[in-house]
Amino acid sequence: MTSASCLVQPSGSARAPRVCRAYIAVVESDVDVILSKAARGVVSRAAELADQLSQLLSVKVPELTEYEDIVTLGGASIADNIAVWGDALENGLDLTRVEAPLSFVEYARRFAREGGRISTLLRTYRYGQAGLLRAMLAEMNRLTKDPELINAATVKLSGMILSFIDRTSEQAVAAYQEERDRWVQRRLSLVNEANVRVGTTLDIAGTADELAAVGTDYFADLVAVDLLDSALLERDAEPVPGPPTLHRVAQRSVWEGCPDSVVRTGQSYICPEGSEPAQVLATGQPWRWRLDGSKPPAWLTQSPDHRAVVAEYGIHSVLVLPLQARGKTLGLAQFFRHRTAASFSDDDLLLAQEITKRTAVYIDNARRYTHERSTALTLQRSLLQRRPPEQSAVEVASRYQPAGSHAGVGGDWYDVIPLSGARVALVVGDVIGHGIHASATMGRLRMAVRTLADVDLPPDELLTHLDDVVVRLQQEESPAEDEISATCLYAVYDPVSRVCSLASAGHVPPRVVLPAVAGSAPAAAAPPDLPIGPPLGLGGLPFETVELELPEGSLLALYTDGLTEHRSRTTGDEIDVLSHALTQPATSLERVCDTVLGALLPDLPQDDVALLLARTRALDVGRVAAWDIPSDPAAVAGARRNASEQLAAWGLEECAFITELIVSELVTNAIRYGRPPVRLRLIHDRSLVCEVSDASSTAPHLRRARLFDEGGRGLMLVAQLAQRWGTRHSREGKIIWTEQDLPRR
């Protein structure tokens, strides 16, 4: 009985439904049999069929060729699909209830990890299932020629396949999305980790090393950061023509010591012209390479050492990204994989781009900071005293330590200024603030102090004039700039009287260590009873001078507050440490400086530090001669005679003639224009000093005498005969002094 005869049976016949049901049962049985046999045949040539489907997918979905690992796993997934189908159909199971093979779910996860699109995954799946369906149809056509049976089997198989595809596609999409969500979370976590770990310092090499550390911790086996030489030399320098020269500033590897890198940290190399890294530098576009059977890039194997490293460690995937910030290309970041099996994916490229973009900004900030700090430090050191001047009043040693913090170089300074009468001025100051502006302001104030010191003002008067200078500088500044403020300590030591005069404008007082008495330990370092005046720049407030009589060999320590400001200790503890360091036995002041800095600055200071140490000397009484001069012009001859005899006693007969002329002119002027008492003093120091003092505060002025003028030529003569001359005022009047270089023996 055929299906047609069943359909035309009279409707009133009771036998027709039973006959049709029986026929349907027979057909269904035949369909199950033919499907089972076809499935057995497909499974028997599963390997061949899997290979055919893989080749079909490579043609229909060419994007898969970019993912070698996915293609390999895809073949295994197809084979597992064939096994699942065959087992279900061969055993008469309902294919709509069969779960997708684990390899297919893993295939979807791997596809997500490699950055493939979900549309590509679904197309791959549809082509694969369609290929299996065609294989089943071909096998059924080989087993039977009955078109009705083939049609019925095809209808049943298509229904099951469509349901199987729908359900397993949902599983694949869920696995893909789960993996993508996990990757997005990982990406956000890594970006957040990079934000925390990269850019913590304003050091170029340190920032580059932080990028390399993050890269090797998460998705690369070797990371190298190379900067253009032009980017390291100047902040805005343009690259020189020709092949770019790169300097490796940092690299990290999963292997200790970076044996998988030929170029070492700190080395420079020339990037081959036309190579992929050179193109990345020129175009600013990233470049990616993976081992797909082709030869490695020429630049990666340009030397035997490079070829040996690639071969030994099996480098199979490379990312090269430009480091760009503010429109400038700074260098390259290179990521390599050799221990990790998977190649760099599109998502890895996006992740590396996001991290390197941020790092490039941090590196550029570090470059700008380093450039500004270097400029400020160069300016600072050029304005500081490079070596102490020759003088006999004190033995000096000094140190300047720039700040190690992000604040930058400040405005600390020190100075040693020789004064008339064998005296010396010791100066320490601090401009509030940091950077080039603070350094420049420091230079202006230092020159102002030197100019005022030449006038030989007492310390309190000098600070008053310096305060006026700072006020005027504030008035010249624009409203947008920070207000200028500074502190200063000015001290004058006289080796003849052994008196030290000090005044402070908001500055920390010095420490004084008196020499040890025979058989006893050195006295503790103590500050003098010095009133601390207001900082410079307030205007109109007074300063006070304090005088100390210091025994020969006393130690004066002048410093800025950066020396005693440390986060781990209180100010009182710092002062105790300083006092202890100053009283330690040492062979020289240089050793004392090292001891002080070693005790107080174990690491880079948070603020600039200026330290000036001075050990006092006393001028022997035999090198000083003084006479009171009567207020009588006849006394000039006696003054000349006394001076000549004293020079003979010192063995300076060669200076007698000029000295007599100078003494004659200065004493005559003091008697004629000054007020008694008049006093003459000679000092035999590094030079021959002649001083004439009187009680008048009126200072003489050098002028050009006219042809018929009876006077006005004496001071001109003195200026011509002496190497240096000048006037200084005191509370008792004024002193006219001259200096003559001693004859060379």
Side-chain angles (χ1 to χ4, degrees):
M1 182 181 297
T2 65
S3 58
S5 61
C6 176
L7 293 176
V8 297
Q9 288 294 328
S11 60
S13 173
R15 189 166 172 261
R18 290 195 298 272
V19 172
C20 289
R21 284 194 295 271
Y23 174 76
I24 291 173
V26 171
V27 172
E28 288 180 349
S29 176
D30 292 341
V31 167
D32 292 338
V33 171
I34 196 67
L35 289 176
S36 176
K37 290 181 178 180
R40 191 178 304 114
V42 169
V43 170
S44 64
R45 53 190 188 92
E48 175 188 354
L49 184 58
D51 184 60
Q52 291 176 357
L53 289 178
S54 296
Q55 294 179 6
L56 174 66
L57 290 177
S58 65
V59 175
K60 295 293 186 179
V61 191
E63 302 95 311
L64 291 178
T65 58
E66 299 181 10
Y67 310 101
E68 181 181 357
D69 296 338
I70 291 181
V71 172
T72 302
L73 185 61
S77 177
I78 292 173
D80 289 345
N81 260 311
I82 294 174
V84 168
W85 277 42
D87 183 69
L89 295 175
E90 187 176 353
N91 294 287
L93 301 177
D94 186 359
L95 191 60
T96 61
R97 298 182 179 275
V98 175
E99 296 292 332
L102 294 178
S103 60
F104 175 66
V105 176
E106 178 58 28
Y107 180 79
R109 295 184 183 278
R110 181 71 62 84
F111 210 88
R113 288 196 294 269
E114 293 292 335
R117 296 181 178 180
I118 192 170
S119 59
T120 304
L121 173 67
L122 295 178
R123 279 197 299 134
T124 301
Y125 187 45
R126 287 198 300 270
Y127 281 126
Q129 301 295 352
L132 286 178
L133 178 60
R134 285 195 298 270
M136 287 289 294
L137 292 177
E139 190 66 22
M140 287 189 298
N141 281 311
R142 188 180 66 80
L143 294 175
T144 181
K145 302 300 182 182
D146 185 350
E148 293 183 0
L149 181 59
I150 292 175
N151 181 61
T154 301
V155 171
K156 183 174 182 178
L157 181 62
S158 299
M160 288 189 297
I161 287 178
L162 291 176
S163 178
F164 179 80
I165 290 176
D166 288 344
R167 190 160 45 81
T168 54
S169 294
E170 291 178 359
Q171 294 177 352
V173 170
Y176 177 94
Q177 192 60 46
E178 180 183 354
E179 190 65 29
R180 290 298 295 175
D181 292 343
R182 186 181 295 113
W183 185 90
V184 169
Q185 186 64 34
R186 172 177 172 269
R187 176 182 176 184
L188 293 175
S189 175
L190 180 54
V191 170
N192 182 65
E193 181 76 8
N195 289 338
V196 173
R197 294 174 55 183
V198 180
T200 60
T201 67
L202 285 173
D203 178 72
I204 297 176
T207 303
D209 186 66
E210 290 168 346
L211 168 63
V214 170
T216 51
D217 283 350
Y218 290 94
F219 67 98
D221 299 323
L222 171 66
V223 180
V225 182
D226 303 328
L227 296 183
L228 291 166
D229 276 357
S230 57
L232 290 173
L233 294 176
E234 295 290 343
R235 185 179 65 181
D236 297 318
E238 295 294 335
V240 297
T245 300
L246 292 167
H247 183 81
R248 181 146 298 176
V249 294
Q251 63 179 350
R252 287 286 187 101
S253 171
V254 292
W255 305 112
E256 186 177 355
C258 292
D260 44 354
S261 175
V262 176
V263 182
R264 300 304 175 194
T265 303
Q267 289 184 346
S268 296
Y269 67 94
I270 296 178
C271 186
E273 195 168 5
S275 63
E276 287 80 1
Q279 294 175 5
V280 171
L281 288 172
T283 63
Q285 298 299 317
W287 175 80
R288 180 177 60 178
W289 170 80
R290 67 182 74 195
L291 184 63
D292 54 1
S294 59
K295 294 182 178 180
W299 68 271
L300 200 57
T301 57
Q302 57 183 314
S303 69
D305 291 339
H306 284 80
R307 290 192 293 271
V309 167
V310 172
E312 180 178 356
Y313 293 95
I315 294 176
H316 62 82
S317 188
V318 182
L319 282 179
V320 181
L321 294 92
L323 291 170
Q324 293 179 315
R326 299 177 177 90
K328 297 286 184 179
T329 300
L330 308 179
L332 297 173
Q334 303 181 54
F335 302 85
F336 302 84
R337 277 185 178 174
H338 51 73
R339 190 180 66 171
T340 306
S343 301
F344 287 115
S345 65
D346 292 339
D347 289 334
D348 290 328
L349 176 59
L350 292 175
L351 181 58
Q353 281 181 304
E354 189 163 354
I355 296 175
T356 52
K357 283 180 180 178
R358 295 174 180 268
T359 305
V361 175
Y362 295 142
I363 290 178
D364 190 56
N365 290 339
R367 288 173 60 246
R368 291 170 177 266
Y369 166 75
T370 301
H371 176 77
E372 181 174 344
R373 174 180 170 81
S374 176
T375 302
L377 191 57
T378 302
L379 176 63
Q380 178 91 336
R381 294 195 182 278
S382 67
L383 295 174
L384 288 175
Q385 195 171 49
R386 299 193 177 185
R387 57 182 180 181
E390 294 184 357
Q391 46 80 35
S392 303
V394 292
E395 175 194 358
V396 296
S398 59
R399 293 289 187 274
Y400 170 73
Q401 182 68 46
S405 66
H406 295 175
V409 178
D412 294 19
W413 89 92
Y414 60 86
D415 216 341
V416 179
I417 308 172
L419 301 177
S420 63
R423 299 169 307 133
V424 65
L426 305 173
V427 189
V428 168
D430 183 3
V431 176
I432 308 303
H434 296 84
I436 296 179
H437 184 261
S439 297
T441 303
M442 177 273 291
R444 300 167 78 176
L445 294 186
R446 177 173 178 261
M447 295 310 298
V449 171
R450 281 186 157 264
T451 302
L452 294 171
D454 285 342
V455 183
D456 242 329
L457 296 174
D460 55 342
E461 293 185 26
L462 184 141
L463 292 181
T464 300
H465 287 285
L466 188 62
D467 184 50
D468 293 337
V469 171
V470 175
V471 170
R472 286 196 297 271
L473 290 178
Q474 291 175 349
Q475 295 172 351
E476 295 173 2
E477 297 291 338
S478 64
E481 294 178 327
D482 294 336
E483 185 174 297
I484 297 176
S485 182
T487 64
C488 183
L489 177 66
Y490 186 80
V492 176
Y493 175 69
D494 187 346
V496 177
S497 63
R498 300 192 304 276
V499 171
C500 182
S501 304
L502 308 96
S504 172
H507 203 85
V508 291
R511 311 299 291 185
V512 180
V513 182
L514 300 180
V517 180
S520 63
D529 187 12
L530 175 64
I532 305 299
L536 300 172
L538 297 183
L541 298 176
F543 303 97
E544 186 175 348
T545 296
V546 170
E547 293 185 348
L548 307 174
E549 186 171 348
L550 301 177
E552 183 177 7
S554 298
L555 178 62
L556 279 170
L558 289 72
Y559 56 92
T560 55
D561 55 6
L563 184 66
T564 55
E565 290 182 353
H566 197 277
R567 294 177 182 174
S568 62
R569 293 189 289 257
T570 63
T571 303
D573 294 336
E574 294 285 346
I575 296 299
D576 293 340
V577 174
L578 173 61
S579 300
H580 180 72
L582 289 174
T583 55
Q584 293 301 302
T587 56
S588 67
L589 286 186
E590 298 292 338
R591 295 292 298 272
V592 176
C593 281
D594 295 337
T595 301
V596 170
L597 293 184
L600 291 168
L601 302 177
D603 48 15
L604 291 177
Q606 301 154 15
D607 193 6
D608 286 41
V609 172
L611 173 64
L612 178 61
L613 298 183
R615 194 182 302 279
T616 63
R617 295 169 176 156
L619 201 61
D620 187 84
V621 293
R623 289 178 170 264
V624 180
W627 302 271
D628 291 324
I629 307 298
S631 185
D632 184 358
V636 175
R640 286 198 304 266
R641 183 174 60 256
N642 292 337
S644 180
E645 292 174 354
Q646 185 61 57
L647 292 181
W650 286 338
L652 301 177
E653 293 87 350
E654 299 178 30
C655 301
F657 178 72
I658 294 178
T659 304
E660 287 182 11
L661 291 176
I662 292 175
V663 169
S664 179
E665 292 297 333
L666 295 184
V667 171
T668 300
N669 285 343
I671 294 174
R672 181 178 299 176
Y673 303 109
R675 292 189 305 177
V678 177
R679 187 174 177 82
L680 169 64
R681 185 170 71 163
L682 295 181
I683 301 175
H684 181 197
D685 191 32
R686 292 179 177 271
S687 61
L688 178 60
V689 180
C690 176
E691 296 181 345
V692 176
S693 62
D694 68 84
S696 172
S697 60
T698 303
H701 297 283
L702 187 66
R703 64 183 179 87
R704 183 176 297 276
R706 296 184 179 87
L707 183 60
F708 299 104
D709 286 348
E710 296 182 0
R713 295 178 178 85
L715 203 56
M716 177 69 74
L717 180 62
V718 170
Q720 295 298 317
L721 294 176
Q723 271 64 44
R724 288 164 296 279
W725 77 279
T727 305
R728 71 173 181 267
H729 292 267
S730 66
R731 291 180 175 84
E732 294 79 19
K734 67 175 182 300
I735 299 173
I736 310 298
W737 58 268
T738 65
E739 289 185 8
Q740 303 172 63
D741 292 339
L742 298 179
R744 295 184 179 180
R745 302 300 183 187

